[in-house]
Amino acid sequence: MDGVKVFVADDVSESGLEPLRAAGFQIEKRTGLKGDALFEAVRDADALIVRSETKVTAELMDAARRLRAIGRAGVGVDNIDVPAATARGIVVMNAPDGNTMTTAEHTFALLLALARRIPQAHASLKAGRWERKKFVGTELRGKTLGIIGLGRIGRVVASRAQGFEMKVIAYDPFVSPEQARELDIELLPLEAVFERADFLTIHTPLTPETRGLIGAQAFARMKKGVRIINCARGGLIDEQALYEAIRSGKVAGAALDVFSEEPPPPDHPLLALEEVVVTPHLGASTREAQESVAVIVAEQLRDYFLTGS
Ligand code: NAD
Ligand code: MLT
């Protein structure tokens, strides 16, 4: 397959691309390109591999005149204009379960960081202070975790929470009450999840229906002192409404791995709040998950070009 050129535009695991190399594909990896430089780089590519940084627009597809396939080394394809790809006969492939465990673990790391205020206590001690009274946390046992989106990641988060003896409730319009019961999870309407959760975590895709799902009306229904975790997509939470809910004391803390604009501007109001714990879209960033998603996408691309399926 010497003639097939694959352009890798984001930071995708090198070893994970081995199935393509072994099959003789030509791989060019240049990350961080924008605008004309990116358009020029994809001009002769037959396939494009991205994570979440590169926005694959209709214009980019038109610049890549030979493009037949786009591989997303991860779950969310919201950075790819899928209808535009379909209209051009370009296949879009992703790696739906390659980073599930890793992202669920990061979600739980954020949840624990929020409950025990670990990042704040760490910063305080490194700054030379010993503030034991200031950093009293909250125990997880007996608390209610609300999960919005009971898919792959949501379910792993649920099982970890049950290990901590939390009560797990969830909202997902595509999961049946029987499926939830088997997992020992109480499936409820969205409003009831907002009302009952002590901790609330969201694991849905970003779609027109889910954009802004957690906004001012949702915060108004929540318990005072609720803690929020978002390790899915930035646009799912209305950031201005979250800021106001934290300032008013309704929300005790939020842990965010994702932002509506990435990277968020340095003067983003949420970054200034002590109650907010952040990571720079690290949910899927373990060596294991990155290798796994790269292999899954590389194998799909290889099979597509070799066999047409
Ligand atoms: P999934 O498809 O397995 O699960 C998503 C679930 O959301 C499904 O069960 C679906 O029924 C449910 N859902 C859809 N619309 C809904 C709605 N309106 N209300 C409630 N539930 C709804 O996906 P997943 O692998 O669990 O990934 C979940 C999210 O996490 C995605 O947005 C993905 O892009 C994101 N993600 C982020 C990172 C990261 O680095 N932070 C890593 C992996 C995945
Ligand atoms: C995903 O949707 O899989 C994540 O955004 C992972 C990533 O690319 O970091």
Side-chain angles (χ1 to χ4, degrees), residues 139-182:
E139 191 168 273
L140 299 189
R141 182 180 51 164
K143 299 291 185 326
T144 298
L145 173 66
I147 300 182
I148 302 175
L150 202 53
R152 293 179 191 86
I153 296 169
R155 288 176 199 212
V156 178
V157 170
S159 78
R160 285 1 179 212
Q162 287 162 341
F164 276 84
E165 297 181 44
M166 297 182 86
K167 157 98 184 139
V168 181
I169 60 175
Y171 168 71
D172 189 319
F174 305 103
V175 169
S176 69
E178 293 71 36
Q179 284 175 302
R181 242 192 321 273
E182 276 171 24

mmCIF file of all heavy atoms in Angstrom, residues 139-182:
data_model
loop_
_atom_site.group_PDB
_atom_site.id
_atom_site.type_symbol
_atom_site.label_atom_id
_atom_site.label_comp_id
_atom_site.label_asym_id
_atom_site.label_seq_id
_atom_site.Cartn_x
_atom_site.Cartn_y
_atom_site.Cartn_z
ATOM 1 N N GLU A 139 -17.094 12.950 52.794
ATOM 2 C CA GLU A 139 -16.940 11.512 52.560
ATOM 3 C C GLU A 139 -17.838 11.080 51.403
ATOM 4 O O GLU A 139 -18.945 11.592 51.251
ATOM 5 C CB GLU A 139 -17.322 10.768 53.844
ATOM 6 C CG GLU A 139 -16.982 9.306 53.850
ATOM 7 C CD GLU A 139 -17.125 8.713 55.256
ATOM 8 O OE1 GLU A 139 -16.168 8.765 56.048
ATOM 9 O OE2 GLU A 139 -18.215 8.204 55.563
ATOM 10 N N LEU A 140 -17.402 10.113 50.619
ATOM 11 C CA LEU A 140 -18.225 9.641 49.496
ATOM 12 C C LEU A 140 -19.279 8.628 49.946
ATOM 13 O O LEU A 140 -20.382 8.591 49.392
ATOM 14 C CB LEU A 140 -17.347 8.994 48.416
ATOM 15 C CG LEU A 140 -16.287 9.882 47.764
ATOM 16 C CD1 LEU A 140 -15.664 9.144 46.577
ATOM 17 C CD2 LEU A 140 -16.885 11.204 47.295
ATOM 18 N N ARG A 141 -18.936 7.792 50.915
ATOM 19 C CA ARG A 141 -19.861 6.736 51.344
ATOM 20 C C ARG A 141 -21.228 7.324 51.696
ATOM 21 O O ARG A 141 -21.327 8.306 52.438
ATOM 22 C CB ARG A 141 -19.284 6.014 52.571
ATOM 23 C CG ARG A 141 -20.153 4.883 53.058
ATOM 24 C CD ARG A 141 -19.548 4.236 54.247
ATOM 25 N NE ARG A 141 -19.187 5.237 55.258
ATOM 26 C CZ ARG A 141 -18.917 4.952 56.520
ATOM 27 N NH1 ARG A 141 -18.942 3.717 56.938
ATOM 28 N NH2 ARG A 141 -18.592 5.897 57.377
ATOM 29 N N GLY A 142 -22.269 6.745 51.104
ATOM 30 C CA GLY A 142 -23.632 7.199 51.410
ATOM 31 C C GLY A 142 -24.082 8.396 50.590
ATOM 32 O O GLY A 142 -25.259 8.759 50.616
ATOM 33 N N LYS A 143 -23.178 9.016 49.847
ATOM 34 C CA LYS A 143 -23.578 10.162 49.000
ATOM 35 C C LYS A 143 -24.166 9.648 47.695
ATOM 36 O O LYS A 143 -23.912 8.520 47.271
ATOM 37 C CB LYS A 143 -22.376 11.062 48.700
ATOM 38 C CG LYS A 143 -21.737 11.675 49.927
ATOM 39 C CD LYS A 143 -22.653 12.699 50.556
ATOM 40 C CE LYS A 143 -22.019 13.443 51.721
ATOM 41 N NZ LYS A 143 -21.091 12.761 52.591
ATOM 42 N N THR A 144 -24.940 10.504 47.036
ATOM 43 C CA THR A 144 -25.578 10.127 45.767
ATOM 44 C C THR A 144 -24.806 10.714 44.598
ATOM 45 O O THR A 144 -24.580 11.931 44.545
ATOM 46 C CB THR A 144 -27.040 10.624 45.754
ATOM 47 O OG1 THR A 144 -27.734 9.979 46.819
ATOM 48 C CG2 THR A 144 -27.723 10.297 44.436
ATOM 49 N N LEU A 145 -24.423 9.820 43.687
ATOM 50 C CA LEU A 145 -23.776 10.266 42.448
ATOM 51 C C LEU A 145 -24.819 10.248 41.331
ATOM 52 O O LEU A 145 -25.424 9.204 41.062
ATOM 53 C CB LEU A 145 -22.611 9.335 42.066
ATOM 54 C CG LEU A 145 -21.974 9.636 40.693
ATOM 55 C CD1 LEU A 145 -21.281 10.998 40.689
ATOM 56 C CD2 LEU A 145 -20.975 8.543 40.298
ATOM 57 N N GLY A 146 -25.046 11.381 40.698
ATOM 58 C CA GLY A 146 -25.939 11.464 39.538
ATOM 59 C C GLY A 146 -25.103 11.375 38.274
ATOM 60 O O GLY A 146 -24.125 12.112 38.119
ATOM 61 N N ILE A 147 -25.486 10.464 37.373
ATOM 62 C CA ILE A 147 -24.747 10.305 36.113
ATOM 63 C C ILE A 147 -25.683 10.651 34.961
ATOM 64 O O ILE A 147 -26.767 10.074 34.840
ATOM 65 C CB ILE A 147 -24.222 8.861 35.948
ATOM 66 C CG1 ILE A 147 -23.286 8.510 37.098
ATOM 67 C CG2 ILE A 147 -23.522 8.692 34.595
ATOM 68 C CD1 ILE A 147 -22.662 7.120 37.004
ATOM 69 N N ILE A 148 -25.290 11.582 34.138
ATOM 70 C CA ILE A 148 -26.075 11.887 32.941
ATOM 71 C C ILE A 148 -25.317 11.283 31.765
ATOM 72 O O ILE A 148 -24.185 11.679 31.473
ATOM 73 C CB ILE A 148 -26.242 13.415 32.773
ATOM 74 C CG1 ILE A 148 -26.926 13.977 34.015
ATOM 75 C CG2 ILE A 148 -27.060 13.732 31.519
ATOM 76 C CD1 ILE A 148 -27.046 15.473 34.014
ATOM 77 N N GLY A 149 -25.941 10.290 31.123
ATOM 78 C CA GLY A 149 -25.276 9.566 30.038
ATOM 79 C C GLY A 149 -24.667 8.286 30.573
ATOM 80 O O GLY A 149 -23.544 8.264 31.052
ATOM 81 N N LEU A 150 -25.468 7.195 30.492
ATOM 82 C CA LEU A 150 -25.022 5.917 31.062
ATOM 83 C C LEU A 150 -24.495 5.008 29.946
ATOM 84 O O LEU A 150 -24.978 3.900 29.733
ATOM 85 C CB LEU A 150 -26.201 5.273 31.812
ATOM 86 C CG LEU A 150 -25.884 4.241 32.873
ATOM 87 C CD1 LEU A 150 -24.887 4.752 33.901
ATOM 88 C CD2 LEU A 150 -27.180 3.792 33.551
ATOM 89 N N GLY A 151 -23.507 5.511 29.221
ATOM 90 C CA GLY A 151 -22.887 4.717 28.160
ATOM 91 C C GLY A 151 -21.646 4.029 28.690
ATOM 92 O O GLY A 151 -21.591 3.625 29.855
ATOM 93 N N ARG A 152 -20.646 3.911 27.828
ATOM 94 C CA ARG A 152 -19.443 3.153 28.215
ATOM 95 C C ARG A 152 -18.761 3.770 29.438
ATOM 96 O O ARG A 152 -18.488 3.088 30.421
ATOM 97 C CB ARG A 152 -18.460 3.113 27.038
ATOM 98 C CG ARG A 152 -18.960 2.316 25.862
ATOM 99 C CD ARG A 152 -17.953 2.331 24.730
ATOM 100 N NE ARG A 152 -18.535 1.794 23.525
ATOM 101 C CZ ARG A 152 -19.237 2.516 22.656
ATOM 102 N NH1 ARG A 152 -19.401 3.801 22.832
ATOM 103 N NH2 ARG A 152 -19.770 1.947 21.589
ATOM 104 N N ILE A 153 -18.456 5.056 29.362
ATOM 105 C CA ILE A 153 -17.715 5.689 30.459
ATOM 106 C C ILE A 153 -18.611 5.838 31.691
ATOM 107 O O ILE A 153 -18.204 5.530 32.815
ATOM 108 C CB ILE A 153 -17.131 7.043 30.006
ATOM 109 C CG1 ILE A 153 -16.108 6.811 28.885
ATOM 110 C CG2 ILE A 153 -16.479 7.783 31.176
ATOM 111 C CD1 ILE A 153 -15.645 8.068 28.175
ATOM 112 N N GLY A 154 -19.853 6.274 31.471
ATOM 113 C CA GLY A 154 -20.784 6.452 32.592
ATOM 114 C C GLY A 154 -20.919 5.177 33.417
ATOM 115 O O GLY A 154 -20.957 5.215 34.649
ATOM 116 N N ARG A 155 -20.961 4.024 32.741
ATOM 117 C CA ARG A 155 -21.131 2.758 33.468
ATOM 118 C C ARG A 155 -19.894 2.389 34.286
ATOM 119 O O ARG A 155 -20.007 1.837 35.387
ATOM 120 C CB ARG A 155 -21.446 1.620 32.485
ATOM 121 C CG ARG A 155 -22.843 1.747 31.938
ATOM 122 C CD ARG A 155 -23.145 0.710 30.900
ATOM 123 N NE ARG A 155 -24.298 1.170 30.129
ATOM 124 C CZ ARG A 155 -25.213 0.377 29.589
ATOM 125 N NH1 ARG A 155 -25.100 -0.925 29.714
ATOM 126 N NH2 ARG A 155 -26.205 0.884 28.914
ATOM 127 N N VAL A 156 -18.712 2.656 33.742
ATOM 128 C CA VAL A 156 -17.494 2.346 34.515
ATOM 129 C C VAL A 156 -17.403 3.284 35.730
ATOM 130 O O VAL A 156 -17.067 2.858 36.833
ATOM 131 C CB VAL A 156 -16.220 2.440 33.637
ATOM 132 C CG1 VAL A 156 -14.984 2.155 34.478
ATOM 133 C CG2 VAL A 156 -16.295 1.460 32.477
ATOM 134 N N VAL A 157 -17.761 4.539 35.528
ATOM 135 C CA VAL A 157 -17.760 5.486 36.655
ATOM 136 C C VAL A 157 -18.744 4.995 37.722
ATOM 137 O O VAL A 157 -18.443 5.011 38.926
ATOM 138 C CB VAL A 157 -18.132 6.916 36.180
ATOM 139 C CG1 VAL A 157 -18.374 7.849 37.362
ATOM 140 C CG2 VAL A 157 -17.031 7.475 35.285
ATOM 141 N N ALA A 158 -19.911 4.500 37.283
ATOM 142 C CA ALA A 158 -20.920 4.004 38.231
ATOM 143 C C ALA A 158 -20.352 2.862 39.064
ATOM 144 O O ALA A 158 -20.506 2.839 40.296
ATOM 145 C CB ALA A 158 -22.155 3.530 37.467
ATOM 146 N N SER A 159 -19.658 1.928 38.410
ATOM 147 C CA SER A 159 -19.163 0.769 39.179
ATOM 148 C C SER A 159 -18.079 1.210 40.165
ATOM 149 O O SER A 159 -18.003 0.679 41.275
ATOM 150 C CB SER A 159 -18.657 -0.331 38.253
ATOM 151 O OG SER A 159 -17.381 -0.017 37.770
ATOM 152 N N ARG A 160 -17.250 2.184 39.777
ATOM 153 C CA ARG A 160 -16.232 2.682 40.716
ATOM 154 C C ARG A 160 -16.922 3.367 41.899
ATOM 155 O O ARG A 160 -16.523 3.199 43.049
ATOM 156 C CB ARG A 160 -15.296 3.686 40.044
ATOM 157 C CG ARG A 160 -14.218 3.182 39.067
ATOM 158 C CD ARG A 160 -14.217 1.751 38.856
ATOM 159 N NE ARG A 160 -13.223 1.250 37.916
ATOM 160 C CZ ARG A 160 -13.413 0.193 37.156
ATOM 161 N NH1 ARG A 160 -14.574 -0.465 37.177
ATOM 162 N NH2 ARG A 160 -12.462 -0.267 36.377
ATOM 163 N N ALA A 161 -17.977 4.127 41.628
ATOM 164 C CA ALA A 161 -18.690 4.830 42.698
ATOM 165 C C ALA A 161 -19.330 3.823 43.656
ATOM 166 O O ALA A 161 -19.318 4.015 44.882
ATOM 167 C CB ALA A 161 -19.759 5.741 42.096
ATOM 168 N N GLN A 162 -19.862 2.730 43.112
ATOM 169 C CA GLN A 162 -20.463 1.703 43.972
ATOM 170 C C GLN A 162 -19.408 1.083 44.881
ATOM 171 O O GLN A 162 -19.673 0.751 46.029
ATOM 172 C CB GLN A 162 -21.167 0.653 43.103
ATOM 173 C CG GLN A 162 -22.457 1.214 42.496
ATOM 174 C CD GLN A 162 -22.961 0.412 41.307
ATOM 175 O OE1 GLN A 162 -22.207 -0.349 40.686
ATOM 176 N NE2 GLN A 162 -24.230 0.598 40.948
ATOM 177 N N GLY A 163 -18.178 0.966 44.355
ATOM 178 C CA GLY A 163 -17.062 0.481 45.177
ATOM 179 C C GLY A 163 -16.786 1.396 46.355
ATOM 180 O O GLY A 163 -16.290 0.957 47.388
ATOM 181 N N PHE A 164 -17.125 2.671 46.204
ATOM 182 C CA PHE A 164 -16.960 3.642 47.302
ATOM 183 C C PHE A 164 -18.238 3.753 48.144
ATOM 184 O O PHE A 164 -18.376 4.678 48.919
ATOM 185 C CB PHE A 164 -16.576 5.013 46.742
ATOM 186 C CG PHE A 164 -15.101 5.164 46.475
ATOM 187 C CD1 PHE A 164 -14.544 4.723 45.285
ATOM 188 C CD2 PHE A 164 -14.262 5.730 47.424
ATOM 189 C CE1 PHE A 164 -13.178 4.854 45.037
ATOM 190 C CE2 PHE A 164 -12.893 5.859 47.189
ATOM 191 C CZ PHE A 164 -12.354 5.418 45.994
ATOM 192 N N GLU A 165 -19.183 2.834 47.904
ATOM 193 C CA GLU A 165 -20.465 2.792 48.623
ATOM 194 C C GLU A 165 -21.301 4.048 48.394
ATOM 195 O O GLU A 165 -21.993 4.532 49.288
ATOM 196 C CB GLU A 165 -20.246 2.528 50.117
ATOM 197 C CG GLU A 165 -19.605 1.178 50.372
ATOM 198 C CD GLU A 165 -19.408 0.885 51.846
ATOM 199 O OE1 GLU A 165 -20.323 1.144 52.631
ATOM 200 O OE2 GLU A 165 -18.318 0.406 52.201
ATOM 201 N N MET A 166 -21.221 4.592 47.182
ATOM 202 C CA MET A 166 -22.119 5.697 46.823
ATOM 203 C C MET A 166 -23.409 5.102 46.251
ATOM 204 O O MET A 166 -23.402 4.005 45.680
ATOM 205 C CB MET A 166 -21.473 6.602 45.758
ATOM 206 C CG MET A 166 -20.209 7.291 46.220
ATOM 207 S SD MET A 166 -19.536 8.386 44.950
ATOM 208 C CE MET A 166 -20.467 9.905 45.279
ATOM 209 N N LYS A 167 -24.493 5.847 46.366
ATOM 210 C CA LYS A 167 -25.751 5.468 45.704
ATOM 211 C C LYS A 167 -25.695 6.085 44.303
ATOM 212 O O LYS A 167 -25.392 7.275 44.163
ATOM 213 C CB LYS A 167 -26.899 6.051 46.531
ATOM 214 C CG LYS A 167 -28.187 6.255 45.782
ATOM 215 C CD LYS A 167 -29.114 5.104 46.026
ATOM 216 C CE LYS A 167 -30.393 5.261 45.195
ATOM 217 N NZ LYS A 167 -30.837 4.024 44.612
ATOM 218 N N VAL A 168 -25.958 5.277 43.275
ATOM 219 C CA VAL A 168 -25.833 5.803 41.911
ATOM 220 C C VAL A 168 -27.211 5.930 41.254
ATOM 221 O O VAL A 168 -27.984 4.967 41.205
ATOM 222 C CB VAL A 168 -24.919 4.912 41.040
ATOM 223 C CG1 VAL A 168 -24.797 5.503 39.633
ATOM 224 C CG2 VAL A 168 -23.532 4.778 41.666
ATOM 225 N N ILE A 169 -27.520 7.135 40.791
ATOM 226 C CA ILE A 169 -28.743 7.386 40.028
ATOM 227 C C ILE A 169 -28.309 7.924 38.660
ATOM 228 O O ILE A 169 -27.199 8.434 38.512
ATOM 229 C CB ILE A 169 -29.683 8.399 40.735
ATOM 230 C CG1 ILE A 169 -28.982 9.751 40.944
ATOM 231 C CG2 ILE A 169 -30.140 7.838 42.081
ATOM 232 C CD1 ILE A 169 -29.882 10.836 41.536
ATOM 233 N N ALA A 170 -29.179 7.770 37.646
ATOM 234 C CA ALA A 170 -28.736 8.185 36.312
ATOM 235 C C ALA A 170 -29.914 8.604 35.451
ATOM 236 O O ALA A 170 -31.056 8.189 35.673
ATOM 237 C CB ALA A 170 -27.986 7.040 35.636
ATOM 238 N N TYR A 171 -29.573 9.422 34.449
ATOM 239 C CA TYR A 171 -30.529 9.764 33.388
ATOM 240 C C TYR A 171 -29.896 9.423 32.046
ATOM 241 O O TYR A 171 -28.763 9.850 31.755
ATOM 242 C CB TYR A 171 -30.864 11.261 33.421
ATOM 243 C CG TYR A 171 -31.602 11.708 32.175
ATOM 244 C CD1 TYR A 171 -32.929 11.325 31.964
ATOM 245 C CD2 TYR A 171 -30.966 12.467 31.193
ATOM 246 C CE1 TYR A 171 -33.599 11.698 30.802
ATOM 247 C CE2 TYR A 171 -31.632 12.842 30.040
ATOM 248 C CZ TYR A 171 -32.951 12.459 29.851
ATOM 249 O OH TYR A 171 -33.609 12.807 28.708
ATOM 250 N N ASP A 172 -30.586 8.629 31.247
ATOM 251 C CA ASP A 172 -30.147 8.340 29.879
ATOM 252 C C ASP A 172 -31.375 7.864 29.113
ATOM 253 O O ASP A 172 -31.900 6.780 29.378
ATOM 254 C CB ASP A 172 -29.052 7.263 29.881
ATOM 255 C CG ASP A 172 -28.422 7.092 28.496
ATOM 256 O OD1 ASP A 172 -29.160 7.117 27.486
ATOM 257 O OD2 ASP A 172 -27.191 6.923 28.431
ATOM 258 N N PRO A 173 -31.875 8.666 28.161
ATOM 259 C CA PRO A 173 -33.114 8.295 27.474
ATOM 260 C C PRO A 173 -32.976 7.055 26.593
ATOM 261 O O PRO A 173 -33.986 6.515 26.128
ATOM 262 C CB PRO A 173 -33.435 9.536 26.622
ATOM 263 C CG PRO A 173 -32.145 10.261 26.473
ATOM 264 C CD PRO A 173 -31.339 9.949 27.695
ATOM 265 N N PHE A 174 -31.742 6.590 26.378
ATOM 266 C CA PHE A 174 -31.551 5.425 25.503
ATOM 267 C C PHE A 174 -31.211 4.152 26.281
ATOM 268 O O PHE A 174 -30.831 3.141 25.697
ATOM 269 C CB PHE A 174 -30.455 5.732 24.456
ATOM 270 C CG PHE A 174 -30.756 6.974 23.673
ATOM 271 C CD1 PHE A 174 -30.099 8.164 23.952
ATOM 272 C CD2 PHE A 174 -31.738 6.976 22.690
ATOM 273 C CE1 PHE A 174 -30.394 9.333 23.254
ATOM 274 C CE2 PHE A 174 -32.048 8.133 21.991
ATOM 275 C CZ PHE A 174 -31.374 9.318 22.272
ATOM 276 N N VAL A 175 -31.348 4.203 27.596
ATOM 277 C CA VAL A 175 -31.085 3.020 28.433
ATOM 278 C C VAL A 175 -32.402 2.633 29.092
ATOM 279 O O VAL A 175 -33.157 3.498 29.550
ATOM 280 C CB VAL A 175 -30.011 3.354 29.509
ATOM 281 C CG1 VAL A 175 -29.910 2.254 30.551
ATOM 282 C CG2 VAL A 175 -28.650 3.584 28.841
ATOM 283 N N SER A 176 -32.684 1.314 29.123
ATOM 284 C CA SER A 176 -33.956 0.879 29.716
ATOM 285 C C SER A 176 -33.802 0.742 31.233
ATOM 286 O O SER A 176 -32.696 0.487 31.733
ATOM 287 C CB SER A 176 -34.376 -0.466 29.121
ATOM 288 O OG SER A 176 -33.500 -1.469 29.571
ATOM 289 N N PRO A 177 -34.922 0.864 31.967
ATOM 290 C CA PRO A 177 -34.866 0.682 33.423
ATOM 291 C C PRO A 177 -34.312 -0.698 33.785
ATOM 292 O O PRO A 177 -33.602 -0.844 34.777
ATOM 293 C CB PRO A 177 -36.324 0.822 33.863
ATOM 294 C CG PRO A 177 -36.985 1.603 32.766
ATOM 295 C CD PRO A 177 -36.255 1.266 31.504
ATOM 296 N N GLU A 178 -34.608 -1.732 32.949
ATOM 297 C CA GLU A 178 -34.101 -3.086 33.241
ATOM 298 C C GLU A 178 -32.567 -3.108 33.171
ATOM 299 O O GLU A 178 -31.904 -3.673 34.036
ATOM 300 C CB GLU A 178 -34.655 -4.121 32.238
ATOM 301 C CG GLU A 178 -36.144 -4.362 32.324
ATOM 302 C CD GLU A 178 -36.970 -3.176 31.807
ATOM 303 O OE1 GLU A 178 -36.542 -2.520 30.833
ATOM 304 O OE2 GLU A 178 -38.038 -2.900 32.389
ATOM 305 N N GLN A 179 -32.030 -2.474 32.105
ATOM 306 C CA GLN A 179 -30.557 -2.437 31.977
ATOM 307 C C GLN A 179 -29.948 -1.756 33.206
ATOM 308 O O GLN A 179 -28.950 -2.209 33.754
ATOM 309 C CB GLN A 179 -30.150 -1.648 30.729
ATOM 310 C CG GLN A 179 -30.333 -2.381 29.417
ATOM 311 C CD GLN A 179 -30.014 -1.439 28.250
ATOM 312 O OE1 GLN A 179 -30.617 -0.376 28.103
ATOM 313 N NE2 GLN A 179 -29.075 -1.838 27.421
ATOM 314 N N ALA A 180 -30.564 -0.656 33.625
ATOM 315 C CA ALA A 180 -30.031 0.088 34.765
ATOM 316 C C ALA A 180 -30.139 -0.742 36.044
ATOM 317 O O ALA A 180 -29.200 -0.776 36.853
ATOM 318 C CB ALA A 180 -30.785 1.409 34.927
ATOM 319 N N ARG A 181 -31.278 -1.418 36.200
ATOM 320 C CA ARG A 181 -31.478 -2.238 37.414
ATOM 321 C C ARG A 181 -30.399 -3.308 37.533
ATOM 322 O O ARG A 181 -29.863 -3.565 38.601
ATOM 323 C CB ARG A 181 -32.869 -2.878 37.392
ATOM 324 C CG ARG A 181 -33.734 -2.423 38.554
ATOM 325 C CD ARG A 181 -35.000 -3.220 38.752
ATOM 326 N NE ARG A 181 -35.692 -3.621 37.546
ATOM 327 C CZ ARG A 181 -36.604 -2.879 36.906
ATOM 328 N NH1 ARG A 181 -36.909 -1.682 37.361
ATOM 329 N NH2 ARG A 181 -37.207 -3.330 35.823
ATOM 330 N N GLU A 182 -30.061 -3.926 36.385
ATOM 331 C CA GLU A 182 -29.003 -4.948 36.410
ATOM 332 C C GLU A 182 -27.679 -4.383 36.930
ATOM 333 O O GLU A 182 -26.852 -5.099 37.469
ATOM 334 C CB GLU A 182 -28.774 -5.505 34.999
ATOM 335 C CG GLU A 182 -29.730 -6.611 34.630
ATOM 336 C CD GLU A 182 -29.639 -6.987 33.161
ATOM 337 O OE1 GLU A 182 -28.576 -6.736 32.548
ATOM 338 O OE2 GLU A 182 -30.635 -7.495 32.633
#
